[in-house]
Amino acid sequence: MSGVLIIGGGLAAVRTAEQLRRNDYTDPITIVGAEIHPPYDRPPLSKQLLRGEVDDVALKPAGFYDDNGIGLRLGRAAWAVDVTAHTVTLADGEVLGYDQLVIATGLVPNRIEAGDLDGVFVLRSYDDCVALRERAAGARRAVVIGAGFIGCEVSASLRGAGVPVVLVEPQPTPLAAVLGEQVGALITRLHRDEGVDVRTGMGVRSVSGADGVESVTLSDGSVVAADLVVVGIGSRPACDWLAGSGIAVADGVVCDEAGRTSAPDVWAIGDVASWRDPAGGQARVEHWSNVAEQAKTMVSAMLGSALPRAGVPYFWSDQYDVKIQCLGHPQAGDTVHLAEDDGRRFVAYYERDGVLVAVVGAGVPEKVRSARGKIAAGAAIADVLVPA
């Protein structure tokens, strides 16, 4: 009974299993997840779940897995893989065979020194979120370290709960590395308007306390009193268990354009996977919507079918009452044209070599959607800013 063995119990695992069954794959499918919870949706962790608006974030109803002949082995971490024997050894010593192996282990959050101090949190899992939510209910002041998407969303959720927040970011603006400083400045404005103390160009020297966290010392020597600290300084691919396997790893599992790794019958998908991009480089894309596209492509290749045409990348972030959406591939060095800005909502077009490569909008979903075809067609920026 081998079939497809999927290591990782998140969105990438579920989308892979779904695609296999949709493409009439009838052999066994087994999902092995390190967490005890059935696969769940991670975006709500920094938003609806943290705010207490929902408790159930399961990706599928309980009966989905039995109905589709998908085996779940939860609370079982993978320990090693033998690509010659086609086996995976779990942390408890059990050995599972596979015909095809899919690596979907996701990310491990980066931590800081004093990260074991009571009141210091990362946010990666359901249990992380529940613990943070309980702590936030009585928090007097929070420091959020890192103004990426997680840091910005957590700051918004905490402010919504009435918690004073200091948001610390070493870059010139929040999200500068992803969206550039010009749009990052608009994100800064949004948070400051909501009462967040945004401190950019600033690092953290230390986190201190006796029984629990009491203060954070910043790189300029200033000390911020806080009884809650949330660390959002990025993550690394969960690849440690692949050491010695011969599977190529370099900032993630190295794959071709369809998810094939350097080992026969081994594939990788999602945040852990570095796929070859159209320009011939390697890239990991840590966005929810990317996984569905990867699953369609990878399963087609796995089953010997024609590969689907790649779509325009899309991601979003909910902050306060504003949905920030992005289509395309923005880069920090792109020329940004701010086409609309009312002080809260905005739309920005990203130009590279005279071509529209991305659009970012806040609170203007129709403007973002309307740019999809133009991005796909490589429209000249002049035609976008001054329609014929």
Side-chain angles (χ1 to χ4, degrees), residues 1 4 9 22 25 55 58 64 73-74 85 113 129 139 184 188 220 226 238 244 248 257 279 289 293 345 360 380:
M1 170 188 153
V4 174
R22 287 175 182 171
Y25 181 81
D55 283 309
F64 167 82
R73 294 182 178 233
L74 304 176
E113 290 187 20
C129 183
T188 304
D220 65 353
E257 67 282 354
S289 57
E293 297 294 328
R345 300 178 303 167
V360 174

Side-chain angles (χ1 to χ4, degrees), residues 355-381:
V355 173
L356 176 69
V357 293
V359 59
V360 174
V364 287
E366 68 289 344
K367 298 287 181 65
V368 175
R369 285 195 298 267
S370 67
R372 183 184 297 272
K374 297 172 184 176
I375 295 170
I381 190 67

Side-chain angles (χ1 to χ4, degrees), residues 154-175:
V154 167
S155 295
S157 293
L158 292 175
R159 284 299 299 131
V163 180
V165 175
V166 177
L167 177 58
V168 181
E169 170 56 49
Q171 295 295 315
T173 70
L175 299 171

